[in-house]
Amino acid sequence: MRLEDMKHEFPQMPDEIRAMVEKEVAWLCRYSSVK
Amino acid sequence: MKKEQLGQLILASEDTMYRVAKTLLRSDADCADAIQEAIVKAFSGLYTLRRDSYAKTWLVRIVINECYTIMRKEKRVVSIEDYVPEEEAESARDYSDLYEAVSRLPKEQRLSVALYYMEGYSVKEIAELMETSESAVKSRLARARARLKQELTEVTV
């Protein structure tokens, strides 16, 4: 095992968090006052 | 950078954001809180981003700050090795030996290891992200490698 391979050994992002990120980004892109 | 570009950057960086959070925080609920708060702060603080080329590093820095905020709030600044998981489901998860070994490193070492080996940042970039010197990062990486080598005898460093 090499440390360079550790990305594959780490926990993967759970689907619930991925869905939250996508929802949050969509919301902020649409409604935030930032241009 | 426009907010739509920031949105694209966040979506393209979501795995990095999670790995960085998961390096510092054990609980997925805490990781989700840190990432969510980081996203909100990135949008509201977009005007502070000086160069688009620095955007991902800037975003990761925000995630790290949010993780530290959660650790302070929950008085977990005492490194993860002293942390007893509160959620049974979390403690029951079957993590790899490498993740468990990295989790037992002091927080500065494990963050340096994660940023260097998983995210591909240079020593110089990590020093900027962690607001420390390059020699401190090199030292943390060396100590982390030595400790991981001791714990995981099959690791090639």
Side-chain angles (χ1 to χ4, degrees), chain B residues 47-67:
Chain B
Y47 68 93
T48 66
L49 177 62
R50 291 175 189 169
R51 283 182 294 144
D52 286 4
S53 59
Y54 190 68
K56 186 170 178 181
T57 302
W58 170 79
L59 180 63
V60 170
R61 178 72 235 171
I62 297 173
V63 173
I64 292 170
N65 284 344
E66 289 311 310
C67 291

Side-chain angles (χ1 to χ4, degrees), chain B:
Chain B
M1 176 176 276
K2 293 181 182 297
K3 63 181 179 182
E4 290 76 13
Q5 292 172 298
L6 174 61
Q8 288 302 314
L9 172 71
I10 291 170
L11 294 178
S13 308
E14 58 185 8
D15 288 313
T16 294
M17 293 169 76
Y18 176 73
R19 284 191 294 265
V20 168
K22 193 70 177 172
T23 300
L24 291 168
L25 306 167
R26 181 90 176 179
S27 147
D28 273 341
D30 285 346
C31 292
D33 287 346
I35 292 169
Q36 186 169 30
E37 195 59 34
I39 292 171
V40 171
K41 288 197 173 157
F43 271 88
S44 63
L46 185 54
Y47 68 93
T48 66
L49 177 62
R50 291 175 189 169
R51 283 182 294 144
D52 286 4
S53 59
Y54 190 68
K56 186 170 178 181
T57 302
W58 170 79
L59 180 63
V60 170
R61 178 72 235 171
I62 297 173
V63 173
I64 292 170
N65 284 344
E66 289 311 310
C67 291
Y68 283 151
T69 299
I70 288 174
M71 292 164 83
R72 275 195 299 273
K73 274 183 190 167
E74 301 185 1
K75 296 180 180 173
R76 290 185 197 167
V77 153
V78 287
S79 76
I80 207 162
E81 60 263 33
D82 295 330
Y83 166 60
V84 179
E86 293 164 330
E87 300 171 34
E88 284 186 19
E90 205 62 45
S91 60
R93 279 186 67 171
D94 186 21
Y95 291 121
S96 70
D97 291 345
L98 181 57
Y99 175 71
E100 294 290 1
V102 170
S103 295
R104 287 192 288 273
L105 296 171
K107 68 178 187 300
E108 292 85 3
Q109 287 182 29
R110 64 178 188 267
L111 188 54
S112 300
V113 163
L115 293 171
Y116 188 81
Y117 287 106
M118 283 199 295
E119 308 309 328
Y121 283 103
S122 67
V123 168
K124 186 181 177 188
E125 289 169 325
I126 296 170
E128 288 172 5
L129 267 166
M130 298 183 71
E131 296 172 342
T132 188
S133 65
E134 290 182 46
S135 60
V137 175
K138 285 179 188 170
S139 166
R140 287 170 189 170
L141 286 170
R143 276 179 288 171
R145 278 194 295 264
R147 191 158 157 181
L148 290 172
K149 198 169 186 176
Q150 201 173 23
E151 289 201 30
L152 303 162
T153 50
E154 292 176 5
V155 169
T156 310
V157 293

Side-chain angles (χ1 to χ4, degrees), chain A:
Chain A
M1 187 189 297
R2 291 175 57 82
L3 285 175
E4 284 78 0
D5 299 328
M6 68 190 294
K7 193 183 280 189
H8 309 294
E9 295 288 323
F10 249 59
Q12 299 297 305
M13 187 183 214
D15 292 342
E16 307 85 69
I17 300 181
R18 202 176 294 278
M20 177 276 290
V21 170
E22 288 169 11
K23 195 174 171 183
E24 195 74 34
V25 167
W27 173 268
L28 287 165
C29 278
R30 187 165 182 185
Y31 294 112
S32 87
S33 56
V34 178
K35 293 185 179 175

